[in-house]
Each structure stands twice: as C-alpha cells, then as structure tokens.
Amino acid sequence: MAEDFRGFLDVLEKRGQLRRIKTLVDSDLEIAEIANRMLQCGGPGLLFENVKGAKYPVAVNIMGTVERICWAMNMKQPQELEDLGRKLAMLQQPKPPKKVAQAVEFGKVLFDVLKAKPSRDYFPPCQQVVIEGRDLDLNSLPLIRPYAGDAGKIVTLGLVITKDCETGTPNIGVYRLQLQSRNTMTVQWLSVRGGARHLRKAAERGKKLEIAIALGVHPLVIMAAATPIPMDLSEWLFAGLYGGGGIKLAKCRTVDLEVPAESEFVLEGTITPGEEMVDGPFGDHMGYYNQSKPCPLIRFNCMTHRKNPVYLTTFSGRPPKEEAMIAIALNRIYTPILRQQVPEIVDFFLPMEALSYKAAIIAIDKAYPGQARRAALAFWSALPQFTYTKFVIVVDKDINIRDPRQVVWAISSKVDPQRDVFIIPDTPFDKLDFATPKVGLGSRMGIDATTKVYPETDAEWGQQLEPDPQMAAIVDRRWKEYGLADINLDEVNANLFGYDMH
C-alpha cells in the first residue's frame, strides 16, 4: 500500500489510471474543463506537468472513480468497505460479547485501534523547504478557478486542522478556501463543523485560532477527514484504521498543531475572531453558484513543502465529481453502522445523481404494517449526515436498490400516493438548497414502496411474476449449448432501453 500521495500516484500510473499532460495549460478554467470531461466518462486521473505561471505540477481526478478510492483504501471491491464499517460500528456502540468468537472479534478491533495510533516524525518530508514572512506568496501555488462565475482561486482538497483551545482536541475537516491576497485566504465552513466550534471557543477566550492546511495527502487521510461519524476517535485514528497502521505526524513550525508528515504542502496561520472578508460566489455541489458572504479570514505566516511537490486539487459541481465518488464509498462504510441502529434495514443507497445525500433508497425486511414509515423516520435521525436527506424511498429487500429500473418499478406498482407518501414540514435544512421555501427550513418526504400487508390494504396483493426455478436451472446449464456464452448478461447499455446517458 502506498504510504503517501505521490506513492498513490505511482500506483495509479502502474495500473494505467494516470495520464501525464505535458502541454501548457491554464489553472484558470482550463484544468477544470479538461478534468470535468474525464469525470463524466470515468476517465483516468490527470497530472498536468506544465501549468501556466506555476512551477509545480497539478493533480486532479485522482479519486474520480469508486475503483480508485478502493485502491486508496487497499481494497479491490466496494463491498469490502462494509467490513471497515462493521469495525467502526463495533467501536461506536460496543456490546458485551456473548460468545468466544465475538470476544475474539472485538479484541481484534481493539488491536486495530492500537495499531492505528499516530506516531511523530521528527524529520518530516513536508518541511524540506520552509518559506516564512515576506517571502511567503500564496500566488506561487497553482490554485484553480473552476467556473467562469467563481469569485477567485480556491483550495479544495486541503485538510483544515484546528484545535479546541480548552481541551486540546484537534479537528480535521475538508473545507473550501478562497485566495484573498498573497498571504490570506477565507475559509467556508458550516457553523456546526468542528473548525467553526473551535473559532467560537477561541473568541470566548479572546484568543486567535491557530490553523494549518495540509495539501497533497494520501486519499485515505482525506476519506478519514470526510467521515462524519459520531465517535470519540480523532481523524488521525480514523486514518490509521482505514490504512491498517498509524500515520506519521509532524509538529508545525509556527503553530501548535500536527499535520501529516508526508504532506506535499503545509500552510500555517491564525484566524482573529471577528475578522472576515467576502467569500464567493462559487460553483457548489448542488450544481449552482452559491451566494457570497463574509467568512473567517486566515492570515498565513509560513508555508513548508516537500522537494519537487505536487499540488492536489478538485472542484465541486453537479455529479459526477470526485466528492460524489467519496460519498459512494462512505455510503458503504455507513451501512453496517446504520444496520446496527435500525436493524430492519437490509441495505441503503444514496444515489450520486441526488447529490449523494438528498435522496436515500432503503431496503427493509418487512415484518409488520407501518414498518416502512418507521424505518424512514429512524433513518433521518440515525446519523447527523442524514439530517439533510430530502427524500427517503423504502422498498422490499428483494429490490436491487442500486438499479433505478427496479426502484421505479417498485414505486409505480406498490405506491398509492394518498396512503404511502408522507411529508414532514418545516424541518432544519441545508442552507445551500435553493428549493426550500425558507433558507435553512424545508420539508421531507417518505415514500413507502414496499408490498402492503393488512391493515395497510384490504385488497389481496397479486403474486409477483418469477421465472420457473427448474427451467431457470436448465437454461443456466445449457447456456453454452445455445451458443450465447460470449454475451455478458451483467453489462447493460441503458441507452438500449430508452435512456439517453452519455
């Protein structure tokens, strides 16, 4: 397994999933336009080696497919991510083992936690080059501007690291930053995020908030920082659990914070509470430009980097984007945690086209009337990240929730709108959702697309059509005899069925 970001680039290149672009390109709009076309077709990661006005290469679309995210996690299939989710579920809500096998399994998980503890690197690669004071100029970084209506250049895949001034507990998040001057940026974070809470605490004590931005880290560290699971474990431990061993951390030079020692770049600075500048507008994950607003201003005093560093970036927007691929992987990790909290849920899926959180499809093992509604309500309250899910569709366990044709069939054949659709009005909502009638306040819809049982219906439910099992077995056995062995039944071109997908 690659230990750092550049090692992961080597993995991609060896597997034919990285293209080096030597032609001169512009970080203003051009890189994003090229990368967006690659994202749309599931193409390889890109390394731009000749960026206009920059001395550093730019990597983008590195996590543009679920396959590449699995590689970053040292896995082959997305289903393996659920094994990781089972570990996290066991740590989140540990239960006394009833069998020896359960005790052994729990012991293995605790051992994994011990292995995941980070270590200190006293000669970190991220500090091979140090730039401080007047020599610091953030314009030297090849920051991109993805869309024509964007207010400026942005940092996207940086780990934003802060610390609680009272407890010393660090928080690592992935937030967007806008370049404001040669040594300042604004940070865009929601008020509920850890960095925002740390800033409020610092303000209460009349202190500046120290902050560090780590750029160009291994994708699994980004995955750990993006995992909003309520657990008393630091993101550094998460990264260690994800990678199977503790990551190396380095002490910053000018602030009392730790960063991944293998980072390509590290920016160090402070936020003075109350000091803000206008941030935005920028293209956002909803597929629209968000509104400009005052955001906290970071004043940087130091930048360190590795020798011959590579700048890693991405951008938001209507899916598919790299953030959507990360969300699909996290969906798999959440599944065992969700099953532990809502046992009747067999599986759930957050479609990328629904922004990976606006709509959820849940499969349940239905046992009694009203269970679909109960499962939908339980889902909304199970984990904080489901608070902003607008639609929940509940289907039977025999429906493949990752096949939209089956889901649409279930809705069309099993739903009576008056009986099976329920709406909860005036609930807290995502302020970036322009569809809500009031900012931050919207409604939710649940759809019961399960087979109805008495007393949900007085009508006798029809028998569902199924192939004859004996004949299906005969056809399976004789498939080669028919001369059809070369036809792959698992590869379906949706455009053959009336879709227009490009």
Side-chain angles (χ1 to χ4, degrees):
M1 181 174 176
E3 292 187 357
D4 57 9
F5 169 60
R6 56 182 64 186
F8 185 65
L9 289 181
D10 290 340
V11 170
L12 296 188
E13 192 159 31
K14 289 175 182 176
R15 297 180 180 181
Q17 286 291 303
L18 182 72
R19 292 289 183 90
R20 293 178 179 269
I21 311 298
K22 300 184 183 299
T23 305
L24 180 66
V25 296
D26 198 328
S27 61
D28 188 69
L29 303 181
E30 188 175 8
I31 285 180
E33 177 64 25
I34 297 168
N36 193 44
R37 297 186 186 195
M38 283 292 102
L39 284 160
Q40 297 295 323
C41 69
L46 302 172
L47 183 62
F48 295 96
E49 297 182 329
N50 190 4
V51 180
K52 182 180 177 181
K55 54 184 178 181
Y56 309 118
V58 175
V60 68
N61 193 26
I62 301 306
M63 294 181 283
T65 65
V66 175
E67 180 183 48
R68 295 204 286 271
I69 290 180
C70 286
W71 292 349
M73 309 288 281
N74 203 28
M75 298 175 182
K76 295 180 180 179
Q77 301 291 335
Q79 291 84 345
E80 294 179 60
L81 294 165
E82 293 194 22
D83 293 333
L84 177 59
R86 278 187 278 273
K87 288 183 182 179
L88 299 180
M90 199 176 297
L91 289 169
Q92 183 179 343
Q93 291 183 340
K95 299 177 181 178
K98 297 180 180 179
K99 300 178 181 178
V100 173
Q102 292 175 335
V104 171
E105 185 179 3
F106 188 64
K108 289 180 179 178
V109 172
L110 291 179
F111 182 64
D112 287 341
V113 173
L114 291 176
K115 288 195 301 180
K117 185 178 179 181
S119 60
R120 174 65 64 84
D121 189 332
Y122 294 97
F123 302 99
C126 67
Q127 294 178 2
Q128 289 171 340
V129 178
V130 179
I131 305 169
E132 295 181 284
R134 294 183 179 181
D135 295 330
L136 175 60
D137 187 355
L138 299 175
N139 291 295
S140 64
L141 294 172
L143 308 185
I144 67 169
R145 190 171 72 101
Y147 301 106
D150 286 348
K153 296 183 176 182
I154 56 172
V155 170
T156 47
L157 281 181
L159 299 185
V160 180
I161 302 158
T162 58
K163 188 165 63 175
D164 188 307
C165 62
E166 181 182 10
T167 65
T169 303
N171 179 80
I172 300 91
V174 182
Y175 312 120
R176 193 200 68 232
L177 302 105
Q178 177 186 342
L179 180 67
Q180 296 287 357
S181 73
R182 62 187 299 278
N183 66 346
T184 63
M185 291 183 185
T186 43
V187 58
Q188 167 77 280
W189 52 30
L190 298 175
S191 60
V192 297
R193 300 302 185 196
R197 292 197 303 270
H198 290 173
L199 181 58
R200 287 195 294 271
K201 271 198 169 184
E204 290 171 0
R205 287 159 177 75
K207 297 180 178 179
K208 292 183 180 182
L209 178 68
E210 294 185 325
I211 189 167
I213 317 295
L215 303 167
V217 299
H218 193 289
L220 72 83
V221 185
I222 296 173
M223 287 287 293
T227 306
I229 298 175
M231 191 187 302
D232 292 331
L233 290 175
S234 76
E235 287 86 352
W236 302 136
L237 270 175
F238 265 76
L241 284 170
Y242 284 6
I247 68 168
K248 294 180 180 179
L249 297 177
K251 184 84 179 297
C252 288
R253 292 179 63 89
T254 63
V255 293
D256 186 21
L257 295 170
E258 292 180 315
V259 296
E262 305 287 346
S263 304
E264 295 291 317
F265 296 89
V266 175
L267 307 178
E268 302 176 11
T270 59
I271 300 176
T272 300
E275 189 174 16
E276 298 179 330
M277 285 191 70
V278 174
D279 183 284
F282 286 101
D284 218 316
H285 67 281
M286 295 289 292
Y288 304 97
Y289 288 102
N290 60 22
Q291 296 177 343
S292 59
K293 65 175 185 178
C295 288
L297 183 70
I298 308 171
R299 293 189 178 276
F300 293 103
N301 49 63
C302 179
M303 177 170 73
T304 68
H305 63 77
R306 299 179 67 157
K307 293 179 180 177
N308 305 313
V310 178
Y311 179 73
L312 173 63
T313 191
T314 190
F315 52 97
S316 292
R318 186 173 173 177
K321 295 291 182 289
E322 290 182 75
E323 61 194 2
M325 299 303 110
I326 293 173
I328 290 172
L330 291 176
N331 186 163
R332 290 283 191 177
I333 295 172
Y334 297 152
T335 301
I337 299 169
L338 184 60
R339 286 196 197 111
Q340 183 164 289
Q341 297 197 26
V342 191
E344 60 258 55
I345 292 181
V346 175
D347 199 2
F348 87 107
F349 181 50
L350 301 169
M352 175 185 70
E353 293 75 14
L355 306 174
S356 303
Y357 74 105
K358 286 295 181 182
I361 304 164
I362 300 174
I364 67 168
D365 187 3
K366 186 170 180 177
Y368 55 86
Q371 190 175 11
R373 184 171 298 212
R374 178 195 179 280
L377 293 170
F379 173 84
W380 274 313
S381 59
L383 293 173
Q385 57 268 35
F386 302 149
T387 302
Y388 298 147
T389 301
K390 199 185 311 189
F391 305 99
V392 174
I393 302 165
V394 186
V395 299
D396 293 312
K397 65 179 181 179
D398 61 339
I399 297 294
N400 179 0
I401 58 177
R402 291 171 178 82
D403 184 343
R405 297 171 301 174
Q406 292 194 34
V407 175
V408 170
W409 176 81
I411 294 172
S412 302
S413 66
K414 298 175 185 287
V415 172
D416 176 79
Q418 183 175 3
R419 177 193 61 201
D420 299 327
V421 176
F422 63 97
I423 294 175
I424 304 175
D426 299 329
T427 61
F429 231 80
D430 186 354
K431 292 183 179 180
L432 296 175
D433 193 328
F434 294 119
T436 57
K438 297 178 181 178
V439 177
L441 201 63
S443 58
R444 308 169 195 273
M445 175 187 287
I447 301 175
D448 177 0
T450 62
T451 302
K452 302 305 176 293
V453 297
Y454 181 81
E456 292 173 329
T457 180
D458 292 326
E460 184 177 345
W461 205 272
Q463 182 178 354
Q464 190 167 312
L465 301 177
E466 298 287 352
D468 178 78
Q470 292 182 336
M471 181 51 64
I474 292 172
V475 171
D476 285 343
R477 189 171 64 250
R478 301 191 59 199
W479 193 249
K480 285 186 179 180
E481 293 180 40
Y482 304 145
L484 301 174
D486 61 314
I487 298 178
N488 188 347
L489 300 179
D490 295 325
E491 292 184 3
V492 180
N493 181 358
N495 292 335
L496 297 177
F497 300 101
Y499 293 94
D500 185 10
M501 301 175 68
H502 302 283

